[in-house]
């Protein structure tokens, strides 16, 4: 068990190194941060001095090695745009992103699973068909469009929810939360629905497909023959057996939600890490972009590790000596 | 979609809040008026506005960016500032004189206090000068002609220039004065040093000026709040007690925030939403010309163009080709079709509002594609030639669409233009110094000194490392350079005006560039707000009132 974890962690090292390398190579094509930083009206000498100061005159691999060496020590440099340490910036914005991702995931599960069960059991009912059509919209509409539509309906027309931002937050030394104020909770609704809608429809369709599969299986027939109640059969036997793949997918999707909250955060001006990344790309703020990408790659490696360990725990067949 | 019930409720609540605020301000005013003699206007209010980007630092010396400098001036007063008509007026300096052509003596305003309580003196001015010209500062180009700044006494400072500088005052209006004691106490005597990775400069997120507003909370990229400075030296024209500035980068969301009443004003309005906002009850648009001039330039320095099918020579070195290009571009058509009339076509490299501009001198080459075709043929290109037009696609209003239109217009005289539109990050890295890897390019320029010389000097002067840094095409003309040298030291306004017009005439006669237009500034706000739209795109909160 211990050896397994160690080997997975060791495998993660080249992944992070390669992500860092690719990210750094990409930045060469993003553009030049210097002309943006200097603004209008600068002299040649000023430009040369800034290039030198930022170390941009050094060869690519030297820059990359320096970045990785510093990152190893937990230093990601200072943002070109905001002139603040990148670690501070990411730490400040992480609570917003994590709270949004958590809310979106909970929303997706709480709505998606019951809807999946319902459409699985009553698959010919009219309401099931409505749900299925609704889920098709959720899968096919792009996130930004859903976000804008929600803003139009709930902020501009009905004026019941804020159109942007995170509302009021309560601050703790290392965390800020919007869960404790009415304003914060109201501000959370639209972005969380936007971000969670795709996952919700995905989970709903997954649960439905699994339910259809399981309801056809022999042990459900036996359960019926034994005279068990419908509720016990549907939830006690059928649903439980559909949950293994659902948990796996939902777990992996959390990583996706965090990494791809970029669009939702941009539409709702949600002050999280995704928005920070987008704003950094616009001005080629290399330290922030590099740190964000490396962090996301570490996150994915961790999630995959956890998922692997879950398989290990759930499925005894995997415990064969490797 | 006009305002519905929710909107009415919102206003109602707002009014109640306004009454409370009014009571509070009346109380505050009666308390303060005894000591200060200057009371707040009777009503007072909260003002919430949004922009697509943040003022990236609260330190006014870290970036030479319009938005940052404009925002910072709500907190940091300059020595001299610009009024509603962009004319220079006294601020922290009450008066000034020139004892000799190289010396400007400023008499400072007495009894001015920084927000932190420190008294404002000549030492702060000298210190601010050193900080603004020292390492880490990006605003030192404003002081290129200043040799030194000397303290004479507590309330008098001398600026000594290297040569007579007729526009020194113009160059000082964007320069906010910082407190020496405060900077020293917080280890912020230099602007943020980007090589220091661990510590943050104190002035990046904190501020201490003498201005009309005091920095409240600062959350970068999210929200910044300001509150009224009751001890401000000037009589306030605004009636704001609280100001909340939000960053909303998505254009749709920004407009939605205005429509839903979450903000009172948006600073950058997407062109496609202008009609909608204009037709919404309870909202207003402010539309005015901007100082920035959009123009095209040609590579005239290389013996052979980098991106052209003409080999062995540079067609743009032939004046007839440049004239033909000038005559083929129909600025009026671009104004009506591409810019939806939101532009001011121009024949000059600087627009109305810039010192030196006169309507009489603003003459474009006549639009005449047939004559242009003839000129091209005379120059030896009866069938035109191929060249790449470099163009940004996220920098100026409709930049790519304008380039597309110009490409089509030039096709009418037989030119085969390949359009290469890129994001500004890639674009400026490619066409700017030191590479200047372009043959035909688009650029926009706002003279930071509000004076024509700044445009001439940077865009058209012969490159020498300081002059002509943005002369991306490398045009060079001796007579023009000499005129600039005279202009730089000419103190007689009438003679200087003649020199400016002579320089413009040289550019026109040589067809050195294709000046196109000044774009329009568009702001949108609720009808209960009054504000002053400035042609330099600055947004001074001191002119905002909320009813």
């Amino acid at each position: 068990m211990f050896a397994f974890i160690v080997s997975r962690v060791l495998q993660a090292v080249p992944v992070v190194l390669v992500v860092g390398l690719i990210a750094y190579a990409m930045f060469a094509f993003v553009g030049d941060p210097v002309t943006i930083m200097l603004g209008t009206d600068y002299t040649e000498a000023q430009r040369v001095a800034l290039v030198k100061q930022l170390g941009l005159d050094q060869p690519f691999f030297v820059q990359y090695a320096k970045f990785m060496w510093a990152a190893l020590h937990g230093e990601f440099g200072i943002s070109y745009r905001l002139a603040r340490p990148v670690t501070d910036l990411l730490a400040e914005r992480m609570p917003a992103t994590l709270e949004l991702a958590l809310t979106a995931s909970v929303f997706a599960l709480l709505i998606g699973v019951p809807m999946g069960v319902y459409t699985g059991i009553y698959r010919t009912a009219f309401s099931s068909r409505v749900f299925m059509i609704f889920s098709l919209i959720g899968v096919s509409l792009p996130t930004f469009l859903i976000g804008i539509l929600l803003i139009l309906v709930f902020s501009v027309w009905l004026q019941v929810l804020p159109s942007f931002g995170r509302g009021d937050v309560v601050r703790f030394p290392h965390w800020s939360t919007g869960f404790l104020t009415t304003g914060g909770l109201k501000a959370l609704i639209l972005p969380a629905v936007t971000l969670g809608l795709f996952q919700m429809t995905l989970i709903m369709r997954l649960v439905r497909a699994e339910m259809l599969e399981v309801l056809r299986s022999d042990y459900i027939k036996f359960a019926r023959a034994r005279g068990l109640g419908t509720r016990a059969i549907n939830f006690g036997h059928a649903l439980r057996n559909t949950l293994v793949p659902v948990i796996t997918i939902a777990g992996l999707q959390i990583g996706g939600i965090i990494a791809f909250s970029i669009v939702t955060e941009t539409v709702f001006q949600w002050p999280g890490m995704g928005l920070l990344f987008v704003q950094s790309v616009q001005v080629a703020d290399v330290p922030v972009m590099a740190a964000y990408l490396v962090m996301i790659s570490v996150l994915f490696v961790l999630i995959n590790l956890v998922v692997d360990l879950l398989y290990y725990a759930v499925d005894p067949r995997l415990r064969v000596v490797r | 979609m006009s305002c519905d019930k929710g909107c009415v409720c919102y206003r109602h609540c707002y009014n109640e809040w306004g009454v409370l605020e009014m009571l509070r301000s009346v109380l505050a005013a009666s308390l303060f008026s005894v000591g200060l003699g200057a009371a707040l206007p009777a009503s007072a209010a909260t003002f919430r506005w949004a922009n697509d980007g943040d003022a990236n630092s609260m330190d006014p010396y870290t970036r030479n960016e319009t938005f940052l400098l404009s925002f910072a001036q709500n907190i940091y007063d300059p020595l001299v500032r610009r009024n509603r008509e962009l004319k220079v007026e006294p601020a922290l300096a009450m008066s000034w004189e020139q004892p000799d052509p190289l010396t400007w003596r400023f008499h400072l305003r007495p009894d001015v206090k920084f927000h932190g309580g420190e008294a404002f003196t000549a030492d702060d001015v000298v210190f601010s000068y050193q900080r603004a010209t020292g390492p880490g500062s990006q605003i030192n180009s404003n002081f290129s002609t200043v040799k030194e700044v000397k303290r004479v006494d507590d309330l008098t400072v001398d600026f000594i220039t290297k040569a007579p500088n007729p526009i020194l005052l113009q160059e000082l209006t964007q320069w906010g004065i910082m407190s020496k004691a405060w900077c020293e106490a917080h280890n912020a005597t230099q602007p943020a040093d980007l090589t220091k990775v661990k510590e943050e400069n104190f002035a990046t997120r904190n501020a201490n000026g003498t201005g009309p507003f005091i920095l409240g909370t600062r959350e970068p990229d999210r929200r910044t709040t300001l509150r009224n400075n009751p001890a401000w030296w000037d009589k306030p024209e605004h009636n704001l007690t609280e100001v909340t500035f939000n960053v909303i980068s998505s254009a749709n969301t920004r407009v939605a925030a205005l429509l839903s009443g979450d903000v009172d004003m948006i600073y950058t309005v997407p062109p496609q939403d202008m009609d909608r906002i204009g037709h919404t009850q309870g909202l207003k648009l402010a539309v005015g010309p901007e100082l920035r001039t959009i123009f095209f330039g040609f590579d005239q320095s290389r013996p052979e163009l980098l991106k052209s099918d003409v080999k062995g020579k540079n067609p743009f070195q032939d004046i007839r080709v440049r004239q033909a290009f000038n005559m083929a571009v129909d600025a009026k058509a671009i104004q009506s079709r591409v810019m939806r009339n939101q532009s001011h076509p121009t024949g000059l490299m600087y627009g109305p509002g810039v010192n030196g501009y006169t309507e009489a001198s603003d003459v474009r080459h006549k639009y005449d594609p047939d004559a242009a075709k003839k000129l091209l043929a005379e120059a030896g290109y009866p069938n035109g030639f191929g060249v790449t037009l470099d163009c940004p696609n996220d920098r100026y209003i409709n930049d790519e669409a304008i380039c597309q239109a110009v490409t089509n217009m030039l096709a009418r005289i037989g030119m085969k233009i390949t359009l290469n539109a890129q994001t500004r990050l890639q674009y400026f890295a490619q066409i700017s110094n030191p590479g200047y890897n372009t043959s035909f390019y688009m650029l926009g320029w706002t003279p930071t000194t509000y004076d024509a010389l700044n445009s001439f000097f940077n865009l058209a002067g012969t490159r020498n490392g300081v002059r002509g840094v943005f002369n991306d095409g490398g045009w060079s003309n001796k007579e023009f350079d000499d005129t600039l040298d005279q202009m730089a030291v000419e103190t007689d306004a009438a003679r200087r005006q003649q020199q400016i017009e002579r320089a413009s005439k040289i550019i026109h006669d040589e067809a050195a560039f294709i000046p196109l237009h000044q774009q329009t500034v568009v702001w949108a706000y609720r009808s209960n707000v009054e504000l002053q739209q400035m042609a330099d795109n600055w947004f001074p909160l001191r002119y905002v009132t909320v009813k």
Side-chain angles (χ1 to χ4, degrees):
Chain A
M1 182 74 180
F2 179 70
F4 174 70
I5 297 180
V6 170
S7 81
R8 290 311 300 252
V9 169
L10 284 181
Q11 280 173 25
V13 173
V15 172
V16 172
L17 280 178
V18 168
V19 168
L21 182 67
I22 294 174
Y24 239 77
M26 254 164 44
F27 300 151
F29 298 100
V30 170
D32 180 16
V34 174
T35 43
I36 300 292
M37 291 171 75
L38 287 167
T40 48
D41 244 4
Y42 57 85
T43 62
E44 176 60 20
Q46 266 176 295
R47 196 190 64 82
V48 172
L50 187 60
V51 167
K52 214 176 160 81
Q53 192 191 16
L54 299 177
L56 295 174
D57 51 342
Q58 289 162 335
F60 166 70
F61 279 102
V62 175
Q63 290 186 42
Y64 170 64
K66 274 190 170 170
F67 167 75
M68 273 300 164
W69 183 248
L72 213 64
H73 295 80
E75 281 171 26
F76 287 96
I78 194 157
S79 158
Y80 294 166
R81 181 171 65 99
L82 295 167
R84 297 181 56 206
V86 174
T87 37
D88 288 7
L89 291 175
L90 286 175
E92 248 175 45
R93 284 159 171 81
M94 193 174 296
T97 299
L98 290 185
E99 285 192 353
L100 178 63
L102 181 73
T103 315
S105 306
V106 169
F107 159 78
L109 280 173
L110 284 188
I111 312 277
V113 172
M115 268 171 75
V117 172
Y118 182 86
T119 50
I121 296 169
Y122 308 103
R123 61 179 186 277
T124 50
F126 176 73
S127 50
S128 286
R129 297 211 169 141
V130 173
F131 284 157
M132 289 307 286
I133 291 169
F134 173 68
S135 81
L136 208 63
I137 295 172
V139 174
S140 51
L141 273 189
T143 314
F144 73 91
L145 197 62
I146 296 175
I148 290 168
L149 284 175
L150 288 177
I151 292 176
L152 183 67
V153 174
F154 291 99
S155 306
V156 177
W157 289 351
L158 302 175
Q159 305 204 343
V160 286
L161 294 171
S163 52
F164 72 97
R166 208 181 161 201
D168 308 314
V169 293
V170 179
R171 273 170 216 292
F172 301 105
H174 295 291
W175 198 265
S176 62
T177 181
F179 286 154
L180 300 176
T181 60
T182 335
L185 287 173
K186 274 172 100 177
L188 196 55
I189 297 173
L190 293 186
V193 168
T194 308
L195 184 58
L197 199 63
F198 178 80
Q199 325 295 334
M200 188 203 89
T201 48
L202 188 75
I203 287 170
M204 173 191 152
R205 289 179 155 253
L206 190 68
V207 170
R208 177 178 177 273
E210 290 287 324
M211 282 294 279
L212 291 177
E213 188 80 9
V214 171
L215 286 174
R216 274 202 297 270
S217 60
D218 289 343
Y219 69 89
I220 298 293
K221 288 179 187 156
F222 282 124
R224 286 227 172 82
R226 271 174 65 200
L228 290 181
T230 329
R231 174 186 280 266
I233 292 173
N234 286 343
F235 290 92
H237 295 278
L239 179 62
R240 185 175 290 176
N241 276 291
T242 64
L243 281 187
V244 179
V246 172
I247 288 169
T248 316
I249 294 289
L252 283 176
Q253 288 292 328
I254 288 184
I257 284 184
I258 294 173
F260 303 117
S261 61
I262 290 179
V263 176
T264 309
E265 290 190 4
T266 310
V267 170
F268 288 96
Q269 193 65 30
W270 189 262
M273 295 185 293
L275 185 62
L276 176 69
F277 181 71
V278 170
Q279 286 169 336
S280 303
V281 168
Q282 284 164 357
V283 292
D285 194 344
V286 175
V288 178
M289 289 193 286
Y292 178 80
L293 290 177
V294 167
M295 195 200 69
I296 291 294
S297 70
V298 169
L299 186 79
F300 266 87
V301 167
L302 278 180
I303 287 175
N304 275 306
L305 178 66
V306 171
V307 168
D308 280 352
L309 289 176
L310 275 180
Y311 277 145
Y312 204 70
V314 168
D315 196 337
R317 282 167 298 183
L318 285 175
R319 286 180 210 158
V320 181
V321 179
R322 300 165 85 80
Chain B
M1 180 58 54
S2 64
C3 265
D4 57 8
K5 222 168 108 194
C7 194
V8 176
C9 164
Y10 165 82
R11 282 227 192 89
H12 180 63
C13 308
Y14 195 80
N15 284 340
E16 278 186 1
W17 178 239
V19 172
L20 268 177
E21 279 296 319
M22 200 163 77
L23 274 175
R24 210 175 78 182
S25 75
V26 168
L27 234 138
S30 56
L31 282 176
F32 279 114
S33 56
V34 183
L36 297 169
L40 279 169
S43 69
T46 304
F47 176 64
R48 304 152 309 159
W49 63 294
N51 183 36
D52 61 347
D54 201 352
N56 286 322
S57 175
M58 287 297 106
D59 188 333
Y61 301 174
T62 46
R63 290 288 180 90
N64 197 346
E65 288 172 350
T66 303
F67 191 74
L68 188 157
L69 294 169
S70 160
F71 192 89
Q73 203 162 95
N74 294 314
I75 303 168
Y76 289 102
D77 278 319
L79 284 185
V80 286
R81 65 183 183 192
R82 290 183 190 275
N83 65 9
R84 291 172 188 262
E85 285 81 42
L86 294 183
K87 295 273 177 289
V88 174
E89 66 176 21
L92 286 181
M94 289 181 84
S95 61
W96 49 86
E97 74 241 358
Q98 277 195 276
D100 62 75
L102 293 181
T103 307
W104 288 74
R105 174 159 293 179
F106 290 92
H107 300 284
L108 306 179
R109 200 173 289 278
D111 304 323
V112 173
K113 291 235 177 336
F114 285 95
H115 300 156
E118 304 89 349
F120 162 71
T121 67
D123 290 330
D124 297 311
V125 179
V126 175
F127 166 78
S128 294
Y129 166 73
Q130 285 159 353
R131 194 176 188 275
T133 50
S137 164
Q138 299 289 1
I139 61 160
N140 33 20
S141 58
N142 291 339
F143 304 95
S144 55
T145 61
V146 180
K147 199 165 95 190
E148 64 171 318
V149 175
K150 280 196 302 204
R151 177 200 143 102
V152 178
D153 60 47
D154 252 9
L155 291 174
T156 315
V157 279
D158 279 353
F159 278 61
I160 318 287
T161 56
K162 293 168 192 160
N165 180 2
I167 56 162
L168 182 74
L169 290 178
Q170 311 272 342
E171 294 177 337
L172 295 181
T173 56
Q174 302 189 340
W175 173 49
I177 301 296
M178 298 180 78
S179 160
K180 182 176 190 232
W182 183 80
C183 287
E184 281 171 351
H186 295 102
N187 199 16
T189 51
Q190 280 183 18
D193 181 352
L194 290 173
T195 53
K196 287 203 178 125
V197 291
K198 279 196 178 148
E199 54 202 282
E200 181 184 329
N201 193 301
F202 188 76
T204 303
R205 269 192 298 163
N206 297 279
N208 182 33
T210 59
F213 293 94
I214 302 172
L215 180 65
T217 54
R218 165 75 181 155
E219 298 171 73
D221 284 345
R222 190 172 169 220
R223 184 163 56 186
T224 304
T225 61
L226 302 171
R227 61 178 192 276
N228 177 43
N229 174 13
W232 193 37
W233 52 268
D234 199 4
K235 186 176 176 336
E237 286 177 54
H238 69 87
N239 69 339
L240 310 177
T241 47
E242 290 274 342
V243 178
T244 308
F245 164 62
N246 296 290
V247 180
I248 308 179
S249 47
S250 156
N252 293 310
T253 314
R254 202 160 56 247
V255 173
L258 179 71
L259 293 173
S260 67
D262 288 338
V263 296
D264 300 315
M265 180 260 188
I266 57 176
Y267 175 83
T268 30
V269 178
Q272 68 272 16
D273 286 314
M274 281 181 59
D275 283 350
R276 186 193 163 139
I277 294 172
H279 290 121
T280 303
Q281 214 186 349
L283 296 180
K284 279 196 289 196
L285 284 174
V287 182
E290 195 190 36
L291 290 186
R292 175 180 287 127
T293 299
I294 307 289
F295 65 93
F296 293 92
F298 317 99
D299 179 8
Q300 297 165 56
S301 62
R302 290 186 177 83
E304 180 183 297
L305 289 178
L306 288 177
K307 306 169 184 178
S308 166
D309 57 7
V310 179
K311 296 296 165 203
K313 58 177 174 174
N314 179 342
F316 289 137
Q317 284 175 346
D318 188 326
I319 184 174
R320 288 170 296 190
V321 174
R322 302 196 300 264
Q323 282 170 337
F325 271 52
N326 262 291
M327 292 158 88
V329 172
D330 186 357
K332 287 257 162 57
I334 290 176
Q335 180 195 29
S336 61
R337 297 200 200 128
V338 182
M339 301 300 288
R340 304 179 193 206
N341 287 323
Q342 302 305 321
S343 75
H344 171 263
T346 187
L348 293 173
M349 299 296 280
Y350 46 86
V354 175
N355 181 38
Y357 177 89
T358 56
E359 235 179 283
S361 61
D362 189 358
V363 195
R364 285 186 58 81
H365 289 263
K366 198 169 163 288
Y367 172 63
D368 190 346
D370 296 331
K373 217 170 152 105
K374 239 175 257 161
L375 273 172
L376 262 191
E378 276 172 35
Y381 307 99
N383 302 313
F385 58 91
V387 66
T388 299
L389 168 59
D390 289 306
C391 182
N393 60 17
D394 59 355
R395 182 65 191 93
Y396 312 115
I397 297 172
N398 295 334
D399 38 14
E400 192 176 353
I402 294 169
C403 290
Q404 192 67 56
V406 166
T407 302
N408 293 338
M409 287 168 181
L410 289 171
R412 270 179 232 154
I413 63 165
M415 289 296 307
K416 292 170 274 294
I417 306 283
T418 313
L419 178 57
N420 177 28
Q422 318 173 67
T423 65
R424 59 181 175 159
L425 280 168
Q426 296 174 320
Y427 179 71
F428 289 111
Q430 187 177 75
I431 71 149
S432 305
N433 70 324
Y436 299 116
N437 290 317
T438 184
S439 298
F440 184 29
Y441 62 94
M442 175 198 236
L443 197 64
W445 189 264
T446 309
T448 46
T449 54
Y450 307 75
D451 185 89
L453 175 62
N454 177 279
S455 299
F456 289 142
F457 187 84
N458 286 291
L459 301 174
T462 304
R463 293 180 199 151
N464 69 358
V466 180
R467 185 178 57 198
V469 172
F470 298 88
N471 184 352
D472 296 341
W475 179 67
S476 173
N477 183 301
K478 176 85 176 47
E479 192 193 344
F480 181 79
D481 290 341
D482 291 344
T483 312
L484 294 198
D485 290 342
Q486 296 161 11
M487 204 186 295
V489 295
E490 179 59 68
T491 45
D492 180 89
R495 264 207 303 263
R496 196 160 178 279
Q497 180 63 33
Q498 284 170 2
Q499 289 159 355
I500 289 173
E501 283 172 24
R502 193 189 321 148
S504 273
K505 191 162 180 322
I506 295 172
I507 289 183
H508 180 88
D509 292 349
E510 287 285 312
F513 299 90
I514 313 176
L516 188 67
H517 60 226
Q518 282 87 38
Q519 54 193 35
T520 308
V521 190
V522 184
W523 298 350
Y525 51 102
R526 303 182 72 79
S527 349
N528 61 341
V529 174
E530 265 171 46
L531 47 76
Q532 178 68 44
Q533 188 180 40
M534 313 280 272
D536 54 359
N537 222 347
W538 280 46
F539 178 38
L541 291 169
R542 66 176 200 271
Y543 292 138
V544 177
T545 52
V546 178
K547 281 197 283 277

